[in-house]
Amino acid sequence: MPPAAPHLRDAGFPEERAMVSTLTAVILALVLSWAATPLARRLAVTVGAVDEPTARRVHTRCVPRLGGLAIVAGFVLPLFILAALGTQIGLMWFSQHSLVVGLLAGGLAIAAVGAWDDTKGMRARHKLAAQVLVASIAWAFGLRLECVTLPYFGHVSFWPLSFLVTIPWFVAIINAVNLIDGLDGLAAGVGFFACVANFITAYLGGYPGNMVICLLAATLAGAIVGFLFHNFHPATIFMGDTGSMFLGFMLAAIPLFGVGTHKGGTALAVMVPLLALGLPIFDMISAMVRRYVARRPIFAADRSHIHHKLLDKGHSHRGAVLILYGLSLLFTVVALVAYVGRSLEIGFALVACSVVLFIVVRTAGSLPLFGAQPQDPRRPREAAVEALRRAVPWALMEIEAASGVDKLRPVLERFAEEAKLVALEVSSAGANGSARVKPWSWAQDAATPQQLREAVVAVFPIKLEGETVELRFRWDSEECAVNPQADMLLQLVVDSAERLLLRRPPPRARDSRPHGRFSVV
């Protein structure tokens, strides 16, 4: 159990007035967030921050992003209102100048990064660098993870390595919340349950300084509920990276606020948030393992998260969200048991939670590596592969019948259109001004910057004498990766184009027997 401490009343702290002020902040946060969301929607449409339907996404219509701006406004403004009105809890929060600067500067900075990504797009490594920078700012202003109380281990201090522990703490929770944001209202609901866990454990801690954590957690919960009126299925706006990264940052930072008031606050700085956010953290770890095993980039998007698998199993959008809400509630209960219970109770709760999570994941088929249900090998081909399968035979015949290199471009452009590719690019290098193939590109008339940015890319080089021609095929894939079948079909087209460029006779002239490579099935 956490160390004994004088209760708020014993310390002479006006608990009732603090709770009234906190309730006022919750109501203000809910109303402000609810009222600001339509304004954020209009702003998103104006600047073009609109989420468009793709093969990986579950929505079928364009939905504005930047809803996270409403959460930011709903969280920040009530805190300043309480301080301006001279409430004791508001002044207690505002008096911790260094921590306040770290909380607001870090939160607003990560929201700005998310807004830029929602509007212009950012590469994964650039977002990771920004997250590390924001976490460093928070650490510099005192939001640090210095020690923790763990079952069976007692008080564990890592002050000399505080920076090396705090930065991964922020980055992990930010990305966990960001990755779980795949269904209407899912990330917001998970964040709400985490706020409830932080509020209850801070209140039970008994330290007067923990009332600041109660205020921050409750205010963030109010802002989330106000936004959920617009974000629950069917959503009229998404929080986007603006909201998911801001929410992740705050859920990582708020428990650390207790460090500035009493060292006992760090007893809940790791255990409670980690358990309350067990669902997104598990989903993030499983995604990293899945991509590592598949030899794909760790930050590459896919459609294999637990919420995707629930949809694939036939659950409705709202039903999948409610199932995951229940799982988040379970993790919240485990977090509370872990905080107030004995070691045996904590162990039992963790085991029970792990068993339930394993059953859900196994049923959903989210992690085949650990024994989940295998996919049906008879499932229909991906739409992109089916389109390629239909277009490749015609392209092979046209390229083989082409009289010269100048005929290659119109054939490939028509092939790209028939195969429903998003874009096709041909480049040439090393020709010293005498290139046989001039660079050119083709894109769908309806292709948007988001589709071009999120499309999978297959690159095929062709080596000529003193020249390298490179063909880049881009298409929208449900798997968010180059399907082996698609790679094989495109390789057939590239091989045929290479023979044309080198003026080689087609294979059937050398061998009249059927060649397996040209079998398109």
Side-chain angles (χ1 to χ4, degrees):
M1 293 187 60
H7 194 269
L8 298 173
R9 290 194 182 95
D10 298 335
F13 190 84
E15 178 185 350
E16 292 79 6
R17 282 191 292 172
M19 286 291 103
V20 170
S21 298
T22 299
L23 179 60
T24 302
V26 172
I27 296 174
L28 284 174
L30 191 154
V31 173
L32 287 172
S33 178
W34 173 80
T37 301
L39 302 178
R41 186 189 304 120
R42 294 178 188 174
L43 176 62
V45 173
T46 301
V47 301
V50 178
D51 208 49
E52 298 160 350
T54 62
R56 181 176 65 89
R57 301 182 185 276
V58 299
H59 59 281
T60 57
R61 56 189 175 84
C62 294
V63 180
R65 294 190 288 258
L66 295 181
L69 295 177
I71 298 178
V72 175
F75 174 72
V76 174
L77 292 180
L79 298 177
F80 280 103
I81 291 175
L82 288 188
L85 293 176
T87 62
Q88 187 164 358
I89 187 66
L91 294 177
M92 178 181 289
W93 167 73
F94 195 71
S95 65
Q96 303 176 61
H97 302 296
S98 179
L99 298 181
V100 169
V101 171
L103 186 76
L104 297 182
L108 295 177
I110 200 67
V113 171
W116 180 268
D117 185 39
D118 289 335
T119 306
K120 302 295 184 180
M122 289 181 67
R123 294 190 176 186
R125 62 175 179 268
H126 295 160
K127 281 200 292 186
L128 179 62
Q131 292 166 5
V132 171
L133 178 60
V134 169
S136 301
I137 293 173
W139 180 87
F141 283 96
L143 292 172
R144 302 171 182 175
L145 197 55
E146 299 176 348
C147 58
V148 63
T149 300
L150 296 174
Y152 307 107
F153 294 97
H155 189 77
V156 179
S157 175
F158 31 74
W159 158 243
L161 302 176
S162 174
F163 181 81
L164 299 179
V165 175
T166 303
I167 302 306
W169 163 258
F170 274 99
V171 172
I173 294 185
I174 289 173
N175 283 287
V177 177
N178 182 251
L179 288 176
I180 203 68
D181 185 26
L183 297 180
D184 297 352
L186 179 55
V190 170
F192 172 80
F193 287 114
C195 288
V196 170
N198 281 329
F199 176 88
I200 295 176
T201 49
Y203 181 78
L204 293 178
Y207 299 109
N210 278 0
M211 289 305 297
V212 174
I213 299 179
C214 291
L215 171 66
L216 296 175
T219 305
L220 184 59
I224 290 172
V225 172
F227 177 70
L228 271 173
F229 281 104
H230 304 272
N231 184 238
F232 198 70
H233 185 74
T236 60
I237 188 172
F238 295 154
M239 68 169 62
D241 280 9
T242 309
S244 62
M245 292 204 293
F246 175 81
L247 191 57
F249 176 86
M250 287 300 166
L251 292 175
I254 287 174
L256 302 184
F257 224 86
V259 177
T261 57
H262 196 290
K263 290 297 179 182
T266 57
L268 60 90
V270 171
M271 180 63 71
V272 171
L274 279 180
L275 293 178
L277 292 170
L279 173 61
I281 289 174
F282 181 88
D283 188 63
M284 177 186 67
I285 294 174
S286 65
M288 294 174 65
V289 172
R290 181 175 62 247
R291 293 163 188 171
Y292 176 80
V293 172
R295 297 183 179 181
R296 295 182 55 204
I298 295 296
F299 293 101
D302 59 27
R303 201 181 183 279
S304 297
H305 293 283
I306 188 171
H307 47 275
H308 291 136
K309 292 303 181 182
L310 286 173
L311 294 178
D312 293 342
K313 286 291 181 179
H315 295 284
S316 66
H317 193 124
R318 183 170 295 188
V321 171
L322 293 177
I323 289 173
L324 296 176
Y325 276 5
L327 198 56
S328 294
L329 178 60
L330 173 63
F331 276 110
T332 300
V333 173
V334 170
L336 297 177
V337 172
Y339 185 72
V340 302
R342 297 187 298 271
S343 295
L344 183 60
E345 295 168 337
I346 295 173
F348 175 77
L350 292 177
V351 171
C353 190
S354 300
V355 170
V356 172
L357 179 60
F358 179 80
I359 293 173
V360 170
V361 174
R362 182 179 177 87
T363 303
S366 177
L367 202 57
L369 177 66
F370 294 157
Q373 291 183 352
Q375 294 180 339
D376 185 359
R378 298 171 298 177
R379 70 186 187 280
R381 290 186 178 95
E382 185 182 357
V385 175
E386 189 64 26
L388 282 171
R389 188 185 66 84
R390 292 194 299 265
V392 163
W394 171 87
L396 295 180
M397 291 187 295
E398 290 294 318
I399 295 174
E400 295 294 342
S403 57
V405 176
D406 58 320
K407 304 295 184 181
L408 182 61
R409 177 171 179 173
V411 172
L412 288 180
E413 287 183 344
R414 183 179 170 186
F415 163 73
E417 186 174 354
E418 294 289 335
K420 303 186 184 303
L421 301 181
V422 174
L424 169 62
E425 303 163 7
V426 177
S427 60
S428 179
N432 296 324
S434 59
R436 298 178 61 188
V437 178
K438 302 298 182 183
W440 58 273
S441 62
W442 171 93
Q444 280 185 3
D445 294 335
T448 64
Q450 178 182 337
Q451 289 175 323
L452 292 172
R453 187 170 61 249
E454 296 185 358
V456 298
V457 183
V459 182
F460 298 89
I462 298 177
K463 299 290 185 180
L464 305 177
E465 295 181 2
E467 180 181 359
T468 299
V469 177
E470 196 171 76
L471 279 68
R472 291 177 175 265
F473 301 89
R474 300 177 183 269
W475 70 95
D476 195 7
S477 171
E478 298 174 7
E479 301 176 358
C480 303
V482 178
N483 184 289
Q485 292 178 313
D487 184 75
M488 179 192 68
L489 292 169
L490 291 173
Q491 185 65 59
L492 295 177
V493 176
V494 173
D495 289 345
S496 186
E498 181 180 9
R499 286 191 296 271
L500 176 62
L501 294 175
L502 295 176
R503 298 189 180 277
R504 294 176 179 173
R508 59 179 174 270
R510 302 191 300 266
D511 188 353
S512 59
R513 292 174 299 178
H515 200 290
R517 189 167 190 176
F518 282 86
S519 175
V520 180
V521 294

